[in-house]
Amino acid sequence: MEFRYLGHSGLKISEITYGNWLTHGSQIENDVATDCVHAALDAGITTFDTADVYANTVAEQVLGDALAGQRRESLEIFTKVYFPTGPKGHNDTGLSRKHIMESINGSLTRLGTDYVDLYQAHRYDYETPLEETMQAFADVVRSGKALYIGVSEWTAPQLRAGHALAKDLGVQLISNQPQYNMLWRVIEPEVVPASEDLGISQIVWSPIAQGVLTGKYLPGQPAPEGSRASDKEAGKFIERYMNEDILTAVQNLKPIAADHGLDLAQLAVAWVLQNPNVASALVGASRPEQIAGNVAAAGVTLDDAAMHAIDAVIGDLAEQDASLTKSPETRVS
């Protein structure tokens, strides 16, 4: 496993982060989830990402149980706050001081730890003053309940404003967690340049486009039974990719992957890690054996010829419209 610094901080994280969105507490049984976490540890992954909203807090509990007994100092544990949890009352959502303070306490209890390494704003809150949000995050850090703060799916102007407030408050905003893959590149025009200026790294989710970049979805054929695309809820996240042009292009990436001794999923993960502003790629697993395949992408170097070949195959199919990040995202990720 290779490690990278997260933003302009001294915190190193594994190039592959294990995330439990859509799996723990929902898609797989707890014993399988535990086996997946242990497989991640065995593969050298030290960084684990979750959120209070995943499976309505259950995912945090499952992850905490799976990590019990591990040396805490050897792990980097991340979680997030924003989306509604519990009974979903009028103060059970957003980035108000009340919700942040109550949520961090609940997350720590479920995770079985005294602190998280990174506490993240799961989305931007358009209804709460940013000053209130950042003051609350600063107080969480000063209380020792989090070491650093990050955000998820924030635009470039939002990152700049949040970073300035954090700096004034004496805390470090060091990360953003956006969707990013060969087919979804909307962070490249604005978010990445702003992040580079500010000393913020990306921890990217969906590096294999919710499974589309594995090549398991074939043009002209129905989605395999039991796959994410065949699931009514999970399928919402990949419907934009399920067209003949994209599925055909993905199949055409196979020779490039083979030339580098990779399968398509490994090629996709390696591709996002070529971006120097990306500190880690978030991957999940529903079976322990999937972990080793993902980890094989760590440390892989794709030369310019390979990157150009990928662009030639994907061509205009990759979404790069930065305006798509400018409206509030309501879906959990």
Side-chain angles (χ1 to χ4, degrees):
M1 178 58 63
E2 302 290 329
F3 297 85
R4 299 185 181 187
Y5 286 105
L6 188 57
H8 283 179
S9 77
L11 179 66
K12 294 180 180 178
I13 65 173
S14 50
E15 282 190 347
I16 306 297
T17 292
Y18 181 88
N20 69 352
W21 174 52
L22 290 179
T23 52
H24 292 192
S26 52
Q27 287 187 345
I28 61 176
E29 297 298 327
N30 290 358
D31 58 341
V32 178
T34 297
D35 290 343
C36 288
V37 170
H38 291 172
L41 291 165
D42 291 342
I45 293 174
T46 62
T47 310
F48 295 84
D49 180 86
T50 187
D52 58 1
V53 71
Y54 296 165
N56 196 19
T57 74
V58 176
E60 284 185 324
Q61 182 71 57
V62 174
L63 180 61
D65 290 345
L67 291 173
Q70 300 296 320
R71 181 177 183 270
R72 178 63 183 88
E73 295 83 354
S74 299
L75 305 174
E76 303 85 47
I77 301 175
F78 304 165
T79 193
K80 313 181 197 72
V81 58
Y82 171 83
F83 287 105
T85 57
K88 302 181 181 180
H90 54 283
N91 280 316
D92 291 338
T93 189
L95 297 177
S96 68
R97 181 177 184 85
K98 176 177 174 64
H99 187 53
I100 288 172
M101 292 302 183
E102 293 171 347
S103 294
I104 186 62
N105 290 333
S107 290
L108 294 180
T109 297
R110 290 185 290 271
L111 288 165
T113 183
D114 295 330
Y115 69 96
V116 291
D117 298 88
L118 184 70
Y119 198 40
Q120 303 160 97
H122 207 159
R123 289 295 185 273
Y124 187 85
D125 188 346
Y126 290 85
E127 298 181 355
T128 299
L130 184 58
E131 293 81 1
E132 175 181 341
T133 294
M134 299 311 294
Q135 181 66 66
F137 273 114
D139 290 343
V140 168
V141 171
R142 291 197 182 94
S143 71
K145 295 178 180 179
L147 303 185
Y148 303 91
I149 57 175
V151 300
S152 177
E153 294 288 6
W154 281 28
T155 66
Q158 291 164 358
L159 288 171
R160 292 189 185 278
H163 185 272
L165 285 169
K167 185 176 181 180
D168 288 345
L169 292 163
V171 295
Q172 292 174 274
L173 173 58
I174 60 173
S175 68
N176 180 45
Q177 191 176 122
Q179 180 178 190
Y180 183 54
N181 56 60
M182 292 180 191
L183 297 168
W184 189 260
R185 307 184 188 186
V186 299
I187 64 170
E188 291 182 348
E190 297 178 11
V191 169
V192 167
S195 297
E196 290 173 338
D197 289 344
L198 299 171
I200 291 173
S201 291
Q202 313 302 316
I203 306 165
V204 302
W205 61 273
S206 193
I208 58 175
Q210 302 297 300
V212 172
L213 290 172
T214 66
K216 66 182 175 182
Y217 300 113
L218 301 176
Q221 297 187 26
E225 186 176 348
S227 66
R228 188 164 294 177
S230 67
D231 182 274
K232 182 178 180 181
E233 186 61 31
K236 295 176 182 177
F237 293 91
I238 60 174
E239 56 191 6
R240 68 166 71 94
Y241 301 134
M242 299 298 289
N243 66 68
E244 295 294 295
D245 288 342
I246 287 178
L247 297 183
T248 298
V250 170
Q251 296 301 312
N252 291 336
L253 291 172
K254 285 183 176 180
I256 303 172
D259 285 346
H260 290 79
L262 305 171
D263 62 27
L264 285 177
Q266 292 162 350
L267 180 71
V269 174
W271 183 89
V272 301
L273 290 172
Q274 304 311 298
N275 188 322
N277 192 233
V278 172
S280 187
L282 264 167
V283 302
S286 57
R287 301 186 309 276
E289 56 268 24
Q290 293 174 327
I291 299 294
N294 289 323
V295 168
V300 170
T301 298
L302 299 177
D303 58 22
D304 289 344
M307 297 296 281
H308 290 316
I310 290 168
D311 282 344
V313 171
I314 298 299
D316 296 332
L317 298 173
E319 183 57 69
Q320 302 180 67
D321 183 0
S323 67
L324 293 173
T325 68
K326 291 189 167 96
S327 58
E329 174 62 69
T330 56
R331 291 179 179 173
V332 178
S333 57

